Amino acid sequence: MLIETKISDCMLCVWDCGIKAHIENGRLMKVEGLPEHPVTKGYICPRGEALPSYVYSADRLTTPLLREKGRFQKVSWDTALDYCAEKLNDVKKKYGARSLAVFCGSVGVENIEVATFARRFKGAYGTPNLLSVENICYRTRILARQLTFGRYPLDDPGDARCIILWGHNPDGSKGMLAEQIREKLNDNNFELIVINPKRIPLSEKAHHLTIRPGTDAALGLAMLNVIINEGLYDKEFVDNYTVGFPELVEHVQQYTPEWAQEITWINAADIKGAARIYAQAGPSCIIQGINSLDQHRNGLQNSRLLSILQAVTGNFAVPGGWVEGPRIPLANLSLKDQEAPIGAEEYPIFSSLWGRKAPFGIATLLPQAILEGKPYPIRASIITAANPVVSFPAAHQFKEALSNLDFLAVIDPFLTETAELADVVLPACTFLEKGGLSYVYGVVFGEPYAMIHHKVIEPVGDSWPDWKIWSELGRRMGMGEYFPWQTDEEVTNAFLQDGELKDKLNANPAGAYYGEKQYYIYKKKKLGTPSGKVELYSQTLKDHGYDPIPVYLEPGQSPVNTPELYEKFPLILISGERAQEYTHTQQRQVLELRNNNPEPLAEIHPVTASKYGLADGVMAQIETKSGKMKMRMRTTDKLAPGVVSVPHGWGGNANVNMLVDMDVFDPITAYPDFKTVLCSVTPA
Ligand SMILES: Nc1nc2c(c(=O)[nH]1)N[C@H]1C(S)=C(S)[C@@H](COP(=O)(O)OP(=O)(O)OC[C@H]3O[C@@H](n4cnc5c(=O)[nH]c(N)nc54)[C@H](O)[C@@H]3O)O[C@H]1N2
Ligand SMILES: Nc1nc2c(c(=O)[nH]1)N[C@H]1C(S)=C(S)[C@@H](COP(=O)(O)OP(=O)(O)OC[C@H]3O[C@@H](n4cnc5c(=O)[nH]c(N)nc54)[C@H](O)[C@@H]3O)O[C@H]1N2
Ligand code: SF4
Ligand SMILES: [Mo]
């Protein structure tokens, strides 16, 4: 028997943990964390441990599928790709290249090959329309930080003496961080503040503020009011390295803790207490949930407030605050666009900030482009590494739109709900079945990390790596010059045109970590903002007609904003708290994970439950203005009364995105107001 251990990394989610894969006769048997990994240091979550069951799942697609007379037939790669090429050429002839949308999901964030080849193909084909999860995830906070600091500084909590977990539960979404915080909690000189409508596991050792969902800006403004009026800000930093402080001082006067108490459900005394701890215990690091604050009609401004808090307290570019790392010099394999993608005109800052162009359009505009031909018709799509029918808001609209295309191809290892709508499904192999490059820009702890990603097993069935699928399709469409590579290694080398980087990665099997952080950068050079300083007041936002300093806006649906809706739907629905077992819509087929988390459960406070005739374990109907569904309830006194928390990623009748629409959105980024939807619950 041939027994081997291979070093690689897990690409099931953005944290990209190092792994040791144990293989017997070519079959993956067991996966462990990799202690030598410079960032994850042996950490592994249940999904990583369950990788053997994931890759060998009976549900894996093993051949291409082609829809014939309404039903999928197994076909050869030649047949499937010839069909795709013919259809894509037809669409181009009939409607022009821009009528194709290439759509890439969150896997594209952690898997550079998946994203790069999707992007390269769209460039070669000539469409500007690359759509991605960026329009519901991450981009808002990146933009908010760029607008404030000129670049994108990341959380650097290692030396922090105060951490605020703001709308974030790392035990579900960022296991390594949860471990790191638990270690820090052993130190008497460390303070943890949790801002969340739910008491998370880490709340037990924290100052916990139970907030009304969607009101974080009111809290942030009131904290600024306290910090400024009590003189707790960093005067030296503010005076020398920021612009707009006098305007900010004036602006926050109206936002007193007493004002915020009414809005946020948090006592004014607790707001003051949290502001004082945060400003005085420093260095302090706000660790921001990605979804809770950004997916809001005022999401960019919510994120801006956190940047302003970090700035006035002097927690920018210091150890324990927010800091930027260096860039890793990877080759850019994308091709130039001839025109802007959909949404660029309506969302100019999202699409291009100070000439830095975003490579993607506004994904939530896709249904409108397909169904209404606005701003022009999109008639074909290739969706890779995404399951928008389950993961995007207004799921029914996405489903209807994708069903109305002239041509839809889906590239995925599994037959997802989105793939079920396709004309052709192309089986991608998983990351364990291909070699490549792993690259993480500091989503973990503030610095970039890269590693040669080692192939662990041969592709399952007749599945192919993403690069090969796009390349073979490209060659069939006369675009072969853009896809010269034939092997995983050639593709990896294409990214590694910088010889020094290549040598460094080859010399470090567990990867290279670019730990040199750019501390006190503001003392050394002008920042990348137009003023060269930290912009508390943003002239750029003002010039575009937005608030230069954030204001508070009620959530799109709320007792105050839409009282008539509130009468019918008196509870607040939040969705998408992460669970260790699943990445979004994935892994439901992996038995050991499913056994631990067998069905979606909607959480509710026991008092709220009994008010509406419900009890722990019963089925309830959850209804919003957009739709209704049935789900089992779990009562927990950890969640604020009046709130219902529903997990995302479950398909079919448990798809929470059937309850969420796209009517209300952030005017700067088009992010939907995903989190604070009014709902009712009744016994099913
Ligand atoms: N296991 C697992 N990990 C993942 C993922 C996954 O699918 N599975 N997805 C990854 C991705 S793509 C992302 S974007 C991140 C998401 O990461 P986050 O968005 O940080 O998600 P969570 O850590 O679950 O934290 C969300 C918390 O916000 C709280 N919350 C809800 N509404 C509000 C509100 O209005 N205000 C405040 N203050 N809190 C609120 C919820 O109760 C919940 O505890 O996770 C990543 N990690
Ligand atoms: N209600 C609600 N909805 C949400 C959220 C929420 O908090 N609440 N969160 C949102 C967020 S932050 C995000 S990022 C999105 C995520 O939305 P998506 O990216 O659409 O979700 P995933 O389930 O991760 O879809 C990834 C797909 O890629 C496939 N895949 C895996 N590996 C490969 C590969 O190597 N190649 C290819 N081609 N495919 C592969 C998987 O099988 C899966 O079908 O969900 C969003 N949806
Ligand atoms: S799924 Fe788990 S093991 Fe894999 S990268 Fe994410 S946190 Fe790490
Ligand atoms: Mo995300």
Side-chain angles (χ1 to χ4, degrees), residues 67-123:
R67 189 180 297 282
E68 281 170 4
K69 298 196 186 105
R71 303 189 61 185
F72 281 132
Q73 305 293 338
K74 291 184 175 181
V75 294
S76 68
W77 276 102
D78 276 339
T79 307
L81 291 174
D82 282 344
Y83 185 83
C84 291
E86 187 192 319
K87 289 288 173 187
L88 290 168
N89 281 330
D90 282 354
V91 167
K92 195 179 200 171
K93 235 184 263 152
K94 222 161 148 188
Y95 305 101
R98 65 184 187 173
S99 64
L100 170 69
V102 172
F103 196 109
C104 185
S106 71
V107 171
V109 179
E110 49 262 19
N111 192 320
I112 191 173
E113 170 235 344
V114 167
T116 299
F117 275 81
R119 196 168 154 188
R120 196 168 169 85
F121 183 90
K122 71 109 196 184

Side-chain angles (χ1 to χ4, degrees), residues 520-554:
Y520 307 104
I521 184 92
Y522 51 84
K523 292 190 181 172
K524 296 172 201 146
K525 60 176 189 191
K526 280 192 167 177
L527 300 178
T529 52
S531 65
K533 294 192 172 186
V534 175
E535 301 200 341
L536 305 174
Y537 179 101
S538 169
Q539 190 60 42
T540 303
L541 284 172
K542 175 116 175 49
D543 291 346
H544 282 85
Y546 309 123
D547 296 310
I549 304 178
V551 299
Y552 171 68
L553 289 187
E554 272 287 301

Side-chain angles (χ1 to χ4, degrees), residues 254-269:
Q254 57 192 306
Y255 302 115
T256 61
E258 291 70 26
W259 163 84
Q261 172 175 309
E262 295 299 308
I263 292 171
T264 59
W265 298 346
I266 305 170
N267 274 328

Side-chain angles (χ1 to χ4, degrees), residues 244-413:
F245 189 65
E247 291 88 338
L248 179 68
V249 172
E250 201 190 322
H251 179 78
V252 300
Q253 294 313 314
Q254 57 192 306
Y255 302 115
T256 61
E258 291 70 26
W259 163 84
Q261 172 175 309
E262 295 299 308
I263 292 171
T264 59
W265 298 346
I266 305 170
N267 274 328
D270 291 341
I271 297 176
K272 289 179 198 163
R276 289 174 191 145
I277 292 171
Y278 165 70
Q280 292 178 306
S284 295
C285 185
I286 297 178
I287 304 184
Q288 173 185 355
I290 287 91
N291 289 279
S292 36
L293 280 80
D294 291 355
Q295 293 163 350
H296 188 285
R297 67 188 270 240
N298 206 26
L300 186 111
Q301 301 286 13
N302 290 347
S303 275
R304 266 266 294 158
L305 268 174
L306 306 195
S307 296
I308 293 173
L309 277 162
Q310 285 291 112
V312 298
T313 53
N315 284 304
F316 166 59
V318 296
W322 287 1
V323 70
E324 218 187 308
R327 306 261 137 180
I328 299 184
L330 292 180
N332 179 1
L333 301 184
S334 55
L335 303 167
K336 265 216 152 66
D337 285 327
Q338 301 308 320
E339 60 179 314
I342 55 170
E345 229 170 88
E346 303 94 306
Y347 303 96
I349 289 187
F350 180 93
S351 302
S352 170
L353 180 63
W354 306 320
R356 297 175 214 165
K357 283 203 164 45
F360 24 74
I362 300 283
T364 41
L365 291 180
L366 181 62
Q368 176 188 310
I370 298 171
L371 295 171
E372 297 168 38
K374 276 192 209 157
Y376 49 77
I378 298 258
R379 295 308 316 154
S381 185
I382 307 177
I383 297 182
T384 183
N387 191 3
V389 166
V390 182
S391 58
F392 267 63
H396 44 281
Q397 239 169 301
F398 259 89
K399 192 166 183 174
E400 190 195 342
L402 296 178
S403 312
N404 266 286
L405 285 167
D406 290 12
F407 176 68
L408 174 63
V410 170
I411 306 174
D412 204 289

